[in-house]
Amino acid sequence: EPLRAANLLTDRRLYDWNVVANDPLPLCASNGLRITPDFAAADAPDADRIVVCSGGDADHLTAERALTWIRRRLRAGAALGSVADGAFFLARAGLLEGHACTLHWTSQLAFREAFPEIELRQDLFVLDRSRFTSTGGIGALDMMLAMISADHGTELASAVAEWFVHSPLRDEADRKRLPLRLRTGISDG
């Protein structure tokens, strides 16, 4: 949605996107919404950025044809990221080695146990060279705003934030301010 808003606000096609899936069959999102992929991975076009989106099943998700396409695009210079628990999928495929990442707070303990060698941050989003990850929700919005800012400047990113009635762009310190109970996993009962 932030990319669509950037296109709309500039009246230019700054961003294009396609939904690519392992197979061309409709997918069911965790909220029940049916999504029809634009392409099966075997027929997917080139991409500059790939965002792996996943709900709570990413810790056991397999998609070999999609991984083949992702790896081919990485060799061609694409950036790779994830939203929410998609970092599980990337880590299991060895695609986060040497990069910091984040994912939804409910999955961070399991991720840390499964991948102790990967630097897991408790930030809303992490941009680490050619990898980008977010906690999902507002973290995904903030990550996209940071990417729009890097691509086209803070003025456009601020306009997109306003479009979503969202506070101004977060600085580095604010990205790390997850509530204490989410950072620690401790609640007061």
Side-chain angles (χ1 to χ4, degrees), residues 1-59:
E1 279 301 292
L3 304 181
R4 180 186 66 82
N7 287 349
L8 188 83
L9 291 168
T10 61
D11 198 27
R12 294 186 323 201
R13 196 90 179 141
L14 300 176
Y15 298 99
D16 289 302
W17 52 88
N18 292 298
V19 175
V20 175
N22 206 46
D23 300 302
L25 305 172
L27 306 167
C28 188
S30 58
N31 65 359
L33 182 68
R34 287 212 148 310
I35 300 168
T36 303
D38 297 308
F39 297 95
D43 303 317
D46 294 346
D48 297 324
R49 287 186 182 124
I50 299 168
V51 182
V52 174
C53 301
S54 178
D57 63 348
D59 57 332

Side-chain angles (χ1 to χ4, degrees), residues 135-156:
T135 58
I138 292 299
L141 174 59
D142 284 349
M143 179 176 71
M144 296 312 296
L145 291 171
M147 294 170 95
I148 291 168
S149 180
D151 292 346
H152 301 286
T154 56
E155 187 175 321
L156 177 58

